[in-house]
Amino acid sequence: MQISSRFRSVAVAAIAAAGVSIASAAHADSGTIRFSVYKAAFFIGGSGGDGTLTFHGKHYPISVGGISGGLAFGASKTYFQGRVRHIRRASDVTGVYGAAGGGGALGRGAQVIVMTNDKGAQLQLTGRQVGLQVNADLSGMSIALKR
């Protein structure tokens, strides 16, 4: 059976394109992250904290900050931990993450959140919150590697 050269060229190009896209996805990796955030709000709020990204066996100190606006009041501290997915290097975790949501804590509470930055890094976090905080707001969080 004869295979035309045009069909063979298209097949080779398709296999090469699939290989490149699989290779790029395969190079994306994941790590773990832990940080604590203090948050205080009376309609407009601010938050800040620090923690550690663990990626390929190395520990990278990070700083976390953010603002929020909406129906929010109180003060709390939240301890987050989880996975960072779709990163190729530690610096991919840096950037601004946005979220809309609601929650609350009186004494102790729990949070679960998934957020993505502009580089495609995805945070999948669980948190334990302590304090008095009620919120239904839009918030943003920025993560930076400490030097």
Side-chain angles (χ1 to χ4, degrees), residues 2-89:
Q2 277 293 11
I3 298 177
S4 74
S5 63
R6 177 177 284 175
F7 177 76
R8 192 174 332 140
S9 298
V10 169
V12 168
I15 290 169
V20 167
S21 67
I22 289 170
S24 335
H27 285 95
D29 210 345
S30 64
T32 60
I33 192 165
R34 293 176 182 264
F35 59 92
S36 58
V37 176
Y38 291 95
K39 183 176 182 180
F42 187 73
F43 292 101
I44 296 175
S47 61
D50 57 10
T52 304
L53 166 69
T54 304
F55 184 64
H56 288 173
K58 291 186 177 180
H59 303 287
Y60 300 89
I62 59 170
S63 62
V64 180
I67 60 169
S68 61
L71 175 60
F73 65 90
S76 65
K77 181 176 184 180
T78 306
Y79 302 91
F80 285 105
Q81 65 180 15
R83 307 244 356 125
V84 180
R85 298 191 184 280
H86 312 298
I87 59 175
R88 289 181 174 77
R89 56 192 155 283

Side-chain angles (χ1 to χ4, degrees), residues 98-102 113 115 137-139:
I113 192 164
M115 300 188 307
D137 60 0
L138 295 173
S139 58

